[in-house]
Amino acid sequence: MAEGHRRLVAVSNRVGPLNDEGKAGGLAVGLSDALKRRGGLWFGWSGNTSSKGTFSEATTEVEGNVAMATIDMSEEELQGFYYGYANRSLWPLLHYRLDLAEFDRQSDRIYRSVNQRFAARLAPMLDDSDLVWMHDYHFFYMGSELRQCGFKGKIGFFLHIPFCSPEIFTALPSSHDIVRAMLAYDVIGFQTDTDRRNFANFCVRELNGQKLPGHRLQVGDRIIVADTFPIGIDAPGYARFAVSPEAGEHEEMVREIAGDRLQIIGVDRMDYSKGLVERFRGFERLLEEYPENRGTVQFLQVAPLSRSELGAYVELRRELEELAGHINGRFATLDWTPLQIMTRGFTRRALAGIYRAARACLVTPLRDGMNLVAKEYIAAQDSDDPGVLILSRFAGAKAELPDALIVNPYSTDDVARAIQRALTMPLDERRRRWETMRDAVFHGTAAHWCDSFLDRLERSGRDEDGPAGEALAEAHPS
Ligand code: ADP
Ligand code: G6P
């Protein structure tokens, strides 16, 4: 690999772990799979707060060929940057939930200053020959800030979550500042063509930009690449996890508890984007409309708590627990509980075993950048008796997995019908669908994602692209 000579420096808010610990979040999973293979430096937040905040001493940990360097945030930085702007403004907005998005000047200011502080702390660790790769909505301004610090090398950016349509994005008071700052990146990667097009359309309609051949965009005299790079998992590694002793124990346990009943599984951070309320209603409709399933199926929803300081997440938990209680109260018998919800984390091996024991997996987000659970479920299946994936049309993974049972997660009837179809699907159809999906998951791995992004970044600024490393003054927000 030509770019093997250059050091990769990845930047994301969450860093690590590189081992098999339970970790809820697709970014950390996808990036650690990619980094372990290639090696490099991973820079981000320590997960701690301290009075010195982003001025705290960096902590460095080395695991194999990956060094992880992290810094703290102050309580004020955490509130304004992470809970405030990143998760009260950007997350709902980019997931099309304008109704939940809150905008305030104070968190906007702190978000920009944390981006500036992270850039200032990273800059002395860099050499201009490094390939710098920033990740996700926490760091929209960081590339532009790194240019202000004098970094001249290549900088790429990957958005793990959706980029909403320009009509919605323009509601963000700083939408122009953010996209202008993003023009400091040489390559911007999206999960799907829809996200890429939404971004390009924003540049054209709002910033008088122009689409150029080769998925390039010109705004003023700045030319950047904006392309689609769907993230994947380490599929062969995951398939090995699924037959490990730890997975076997968990598979056995789930099978024993299920007995003759068919197991349905859902695995999601407890987040309103995941469509859990709608999913529970779909399961309730199944029990209403197809009563033969009463006593013969059981649904386990694994939903680790996430961002639980935020009101919308507290409210979601309350609603889910109430709904689960309502469904169980309505249908349970002395020897059968239809729905179980569990908030604990599992190791990746244990989770792989749980997936393998399930006849169907419900992945029904209202919006999702990609959704790695869908890919993990496929990689974990037994080729002799694979389960059925039920997948939302609004998950990024749908583009690569059209052989799943595709549903509209807002339609309770659609979800109920798909579950019924999954539970009654003959083995040869299950196999046929699974084989096509397995091929897609084994083709679009984390390694493939990483290599194709970095290859494009390496090539940017050459050939027909505009000059790399040239940050326009206008790309930096005032
Ligand atoms: P998101 O990034 O929005 O959380 P993804 O589906 O892309 O959604 O990624 C979620 C990741 O978190 C997956 O790798 C999944 O295995 C992992 N995960 C989810 N729940 C748990 C859990 N309870 N224990 C361990 N890992 C989990
Ligand atoms: C998604 C986001 C990540 C984030 C993760 C967990 O995967 O794309 O950037 O790290 O969710 O969320 P948290 O807020 O706990 O980091």
Side-chain angles (χ1 to χ4, degrees):
M1 184 166 38
E3 68 272 29
H5 311 293
R6 290 172 180 257
R7 183 176 67 147
L8 170 60
V9 177
V11 180
S12 59
N13 184 50
R14 297 270 181 199
V15 173
L18 293 165
N19 54 27
D20 180 26
E21 270 172 48
K23 185 78 215 162
L27 179 150
V29 167
L31 199 50
S32 70
D33 280 353
L35 261 164
K36 272 188 288 192
R37 220 181 105 260
R38 186 185 165 107
L41 172 67
W42 193 352
F43 176 74
W45 177 42
S46 62
N48 300 319
T49 53
S50 65
S51 54
K52 287 191 172 161
T54 50
F55 290 87
S56 65
E57 204 174 312
T59 306
T60 309
E61 235 181 278
V62 179
E63 266 189 62
N65 54 358
V66 182
M68 293 181 282
T70 56
I71 56 173
D72 295 345
M73 278 187 238
S74 67
E75 192 52 40
E76 191 196 22
E77 287 170 330
L78 181 71
Q79 291 301 331
F81 164 81
Y82 174 77
Y83 285 115
Y85 204 71
N87 286 313
R88 270 202 194 92
S89 306
L90 294 173
W91 177 273
L93 184 82
L94 290 163
H95 285 88
Y96 295 73
R97 291 299 302 269
L98 199 41
D99 59 316
L100 293 178
E102 295 170 31
F103 307 119
D104 77 90
R105 271 198 305 190
Q106 171 80 341
S107 59
D108 186 330
R109 183 185 63 73
I110 298 175
Y111 177 85
R112 294 178 196 234
S113 96
V114 168
N115 271 249
Q116 191 278 326
R117 290 291 313 136
F118 271 74
R121 296 301 304 276
L122 177 64
M125 301 180 200
L126 297 180
D127 181 282
D128 282 344
S129 66
D130 290 334
L131 281 179
V132 178
W133 192 7
M134 314 268 184
H135 293 262
D136 237 357
Y137 59 104
H138 309 91
F139 292 125
F140 281 136
Y141 292 113
M142 197 170 156
S144 148
E145 292 293 350
L146 205 54
R147 292 286 181 230
Q148 297 297 307
C149 295
F151 181 69
K152 303 251 177 332
K154 305 269 174 83
I155 316 181
F157 176 88
F158 186 80
L159 185 65
H160 291 252
I161 68 174
F163 194 92
C164 60
S165 66
E167 288 78 3
I168 294 177
F169 197 64
T170 44
L172 182 69
S174 296
S175 59
H176 281 222
D177 281 0
I178 283 185
V179 176
R180 281 191 184 282
M182 288 172 78
L183 298 171
Y185 293 114
D186 298 298
V187 176
I188 301 179
F190 297 95
Q191 299 275 28
T192 66
D193 289 337
T194 307
D195 303 317
R196 171 181 57 76
R197 270 195 300 268
N198 283 339
F199 179 79
N201 288 340
F202 184 95
C203 290
V204 171
R205 290 182 212 163
E206 296 291 322
L207 304 179
N208 290 320
Q210 214 187 328
K211 294 181 191 175
L212 303 178
H215 297 307
R216 289 169 311 136
L217 290 170
Q218 176 157 16
V219 180
D221 49 6
R222 177 79 180 144
I223 297 177
I224 61 153
V225 174
D227 209 345
T228 308
F229 303 89
I231 196 170
I233 59 167
D234 169 11
Y238 205 83
R240 281 194 300 275
F241 278 172
V243 291
S244 65
E246 192 181 347
E249 269 168 41
H250 283 79
E251 180 183 353
E252 201 51 39
M253 216 183 315
V254 174
R255 287 194 192 279
E256 240 171 58
I257 295 166
D260 292 336
R261 296 180 177 125
L262 291 179
Q263 182 71 48
I264 305 172
I265 182 85
V267 176
D268 311 73
R269 276 183 310 104
M270 198 181 279
D271 192 295
Y272 49 78
S273 65
K274 302 292 182 183
L276 296 170
V277 170
E278 293 74 6
R279 186 182 304 173
F280 282 16
R281 293 212 175 101
F283 180 67
E284 181 179 25
R285 182 64 51 85
L286 173 89
L287 300 178
E288 280 166 1
E289 299 285 315
Y290 305 94
E292 64 272 30
N293 294 304
R294 297 183 196 168
T296 64
V297 296
Q298 57 188 36
F299 175 22
L300 169 63
Q301 176 64 54
V302 178
L305 300 181
S306 181
R307 305 173 197 163
S308 23
E309 277 198 25
L310 294 178
Y313 290 75
V314 174
E315 175 55 23
L316 173 67
R317 183 178 186 185
R318 196 200 52 73
E319 198 177 350
L320 282 176
E321 286 175 351
E322 196 178 298
L323 192 52
H326 159 78
I327 296 170
N328 284 333
R330 187 171 165 202
F331 293 102
T333 55
L334 276 178
D335 62 348
W336 174 59
T337 307
L339 194 164
Q340 196 187 355
I341 181 162
M342 213 184 253
T343 56
R344 54 163 292 188
F346 289 95
T347 64
R348 296 182 76 192
R349 282 181 178 80
L351 205 52
I354 297 173
Y355 286 138
R356 205 171 160 93
R359 166 58 63 89
C361 180
L362 279 164
V363 178
T364 55
L366 305 180
R367 277 296 154 177
D368 213 330
M370 173 54 61
N371 197 292
L372 293 185
V373 165
K375 295 186 172 183
E376 290 170 356
Y377 179 73
I378 295 299
Q381 294 308 295
D382 173 1
S383 55
D384 288 336
D385 186 22
V388 181
L389 176 65
I390 298 170
L391 183 62
S392 163
R393 57 178 299 157
F394 302 118
K398 186 232 165 193
E400 291 161 280
L401 304 175
D403 278 300
L405 295 183
I406 304 297
V407 294
N408 172 3
Y410 291 94
S411 164
T412 310
D413 289 326
D414 203 16
V415 173
R417 265 194 306 270
I419 304 176
Q420 175 67 1
R421 194 164 162 210
L423 297 173
T424 53
M425 191 180 283
L427 178 61
D428 56 345
E429 182 180 352
R430 276 192 274 135
R431 271 210 192 117
R432 190 169 43 71
R433 287 175 179 273
W434 173 75
E435 277 164 11
T436 327
M437 292 192 276
R438 178 206 50 198
D439 291 349
V441 170
F442 273 73
H443 172 74
T445 56
H448 177 76
W449 166 71
C450 179
D451 288 349
S452 37
F453 185 93
L454 294 178
D455 178 59
R456 193 68 191 91
L457 183 58
E458 180 85 10
R459 284 189 291 112
S460 68
R462 287 193 214 140
D463 323 327
E464 76 284 24
D465 291 350
E470 171 201 310
L472 293 181
E474 67 171 316
H476 189 256
S478 51

